[in-house]
Amino acid sequence: MVITKQSILEFEKFYRTNFVNSVSGFKSANLIGTKSRDGKTNLAVFSSVIHVGANPPLIGMLVRPASVPRHTHINIKERGYFTINHINKEIFKQAHQTSARYIENISEFDECGLTPEYTEPVRAPYVKESKIKIGCTFVEEHLIKSNDTIFIVGEIMEVIIPDDVLMNDGYIDIEKAGTIAISGLDSYHETKRIARLSYAKPDVVQNKI
Amino acid sequence: MVITKQSILEFEKFYRTNFVNSVSGFKSANLIGTKSRDGKTNLAVFSSVIHVGANPPLIGMLVRPASVPRHTHINIKERGYFTINHINKEIFKQAHQTSARYIENISEFDECGLTPEYTEPVRAPYVKESKIKIGCTFVEEHLIKSNDTIFIVGEIMEVIIPDDVLMNDGYIDIEKAGTIAISGLDSYHETKRIARLSYAKPDVVQNKI
């Protein structure tokens, strides 16, 4: 079936939100950890984290100032640091629960049963229960004029991973680490590798790595 | 293990590219279809497509002007249209092959064995073999100063999906449609739903939908 823009605009609000949120494909499943100016920890589930560049190592994500994770944006701007923590199957319910509208004085770590932990160089809390964790500093942001969301770019300060998921060619086997994916607002998915493919060249048949 | 930014900067180039590309989590697997000013079709695999907003329906993606999909960026700016086509298990090898450095006169559709198809309102080619397809118009772009990449935002003009993947609440079951996910530069993954969770509220235990 073909669904036009006009139909999408006429959808009931929650129906439209489900629809458009699921149409872009599978999404990364991460918890963003931050700390406020007065030291309160904040944790929020994000499905918009993407790779921006390898040299320098950059990561981007979209924040919605008008919605729940607004503390995340304020904290990143005020403190300059945030952590990205992969969601795995063991913690996906706690991770999802961080999207509830808790008041500012309440930490999602306490309410959702996750444990903050710290390293010396990064002034934001990691999630202990996550297996792949990235500490970032804020580097730039861009206002998306069409809907007043903000695309934030961070530079990677450190990456924390289990020893056995780093492959010989630098690839991190996030599936082996139990990282999951999101579709739509609320659907969580395990993955099963089909194949890794070799670097594509014209006139060369694809081979598995 | 902890890998510092300094270590990442000292990695061999291809090792670093694999490493940073895989650290952000699972990524959407899409083919972007465009047409040049003189009517040549172009197709490129992208793993950076994300949801930007539901009202108006917006989608974003990061393009690298210095790398292979540069034709995509030029075509989007010149013609104002692009299509997003979900990659499924049946076409992932052809999709990966579009990342080879073909010269400008060659269409990845022909070289990779995929079929262009069109609808009346969208001036860019869809991929016939894809099951979930989105026609977009260009609305804005932002230069990421840290590495000269560009974040592009498009507005959804139409969505084409199989009838049986649209759920009662507007959620599109992309797993049922066979959509796959990417990790790193070259790893393709099927998914298996763990659960859909209900809208999170403070003090309410998570339930499956």
Side-chain angles (χ1 to χ4, degrees), chain B residues 32-37 40-44 46 63-79 81 98 100-108:
Chain B
I32 306 299
T34 56
K35 211 169 203 180
S36 69
R37 196 149 43 180
K40 295 206 172 60
T41 58
N42 185 276
L43 193 64
F46 272 77
V63 299
R64 304 175 183 283
S67 73
V68 177
R70 64 192 178 284
H71 301 143
T72 303
H73 182 231
I74 294 167
N75 292 349
I76 289 174
K77 292 302 294 291
E78 285 185 356
R79 302 278 299 227
Y81 289 88
T98 64
R101 293 177 182 271
Y102 295 109
I103 57 170
E104 198 178 335
N105 275 340
I106 286 182
S107 171
E108 292 82 5

Side-chain angles (χ1 to χ4, degrees), chain B residues 191-204:
Chain B
T191 66
K192 182 167 164 267
R193 179 171 293 105
I194 306 166
R196 286 188 72 194
L197 296 178
S198 54
Y199 189 80
K201 293 176 184 173
D203 303 323
V204 174

Side-chain angles (χ1 to χ4, degrees), chain A residues 1-5 8-9 14-28 30 48-59 62 64 86 89 92-93 96-97 99-102 111 134 139-140 142-147 149 151 153 155-161 163 166-172 174-175 179-181 183-184 186-204 206 208-209, chain B residues 1-5 8-9 14-28 30 48-59 62 64 86 89 92-93 96-97 99-102 111 134 139-140 142-147 149 151 153 155-161 163 166-172 174-175 179-181 183-184 186-202 204 206 208-209:
Chain A
M1 72 176 91
V2 179
I3 296 114
T4 64
K5 178 184 159 189
I8 296 171
L9 292 174
F14 194 63
Y15 189 98
R16 178 174 55 233
T17 305
N18 277 327
F19 183 86
V20 185
N21 264 278
S22 49
V23 83
S24 60
F26 285 103
K27 308 195 266 193
S28 54
N30 285 297
S48 62
V49 172
I50 57 170
H51 171 76
V52 170
N55 189 15
L58 300 171
I59 282 190
L62 196 85
R64 306 176 182 281
H86 283 211
K89 197 178 173 181
F92 82 101
K93 287 188 182 179
H96 188 73
Q97 186 62 26
S99 61
R101 292 178 182 268
Y102 294 109
E111 290 299 308
I134 312 160
V139 287
E140 59 182 286
H142 298 269
L143 176 67
I144 309 301
K145 295 172 202 77
S146 307
N147 69 347
T149 55
F151 188 70
V153 178
E155 185 165 11
I156 296 175
M157 300 306 292
E158 62 181 8
V159 173
I160 304 169
I161 54 173
D163 292 354
L166 182 57
M167 302 293 106
N168 288 336
D169 60 356
Y171 173 74
I172 304 168
I174 63 173
E175 180 171 284
T179 298
I180 61 176
S183 74
D186 51 32
S187 188
Y188 294 83
H189 304 254
E190 299 178 89
T191 66
K192 181 166 163 270
R193 179 171 292 105
I194 306 166
R196 286 188 71 193
L197 296 178
S198 54
Y199 188 79
K201 294 176 183 171
D203 304 322
V204 175
Q206 272 309 316
K208 293 181 183 179
I209 288 179
Chain B
M1 70 176 92
V2 179
I3 296 115
T4 63
K5 177 184 161 191
I8 296 170
L9 293 174
F14 194 65
Y15 189 99
R16 179 175 55 233
T17 305
N18 278 327
F19 183 87
V20 185
N21 265 279
S22 50
V23 82
S24 60
F26 284 103
K27 309 195 264 195
S28 53
N30 285 297
S48 62
V49 172
I50 56 169
H51 171 76
V52 170
N55 189 15
L58 300 171
I59 282 191
L62 196 85
R64 304 175 183 283
H86 284 211
K89 196 178 173 181
F92 82 101
K93 287 187 182 180
H96 188 73
Q97 186 62 27
S99 62
R101 293 177 182 271
Y102 295 109
E111 290 300 307
I134 312 162
V139 287
E140 60 182 286
H142 298 269
L143 176 68
I144 309 300
K145 295 172 202 77
S146 307
N147 69 347
T149 55
F151 188 71
V153 179
E155 185 164 12
I156 297 175
M157 301 306 292
E158 62 181 8
V159 173
I160 304 169
I161 54 173
D163 292 356
L166 182 58
M167 302 293 107
N168 288 337
D169 60 356
Y171 172 75
I172 304 168
I174 64 173
E175 180 170 284
T179 299
I180 61 176
S183 73
D186 51 32
S187 188
Y188 293 83
H189 304 255
E190 299 178 88
T191 66
K192 182 167 164 267
R193 179 171 293 105
I194 306 166
R196 286 188 72 194
L197 296 178
S198 54
Y199 189 80
K201 293 176 184 173
V204 174
Q206 272 309 315
K208 294 180 184 180
I209 289 179

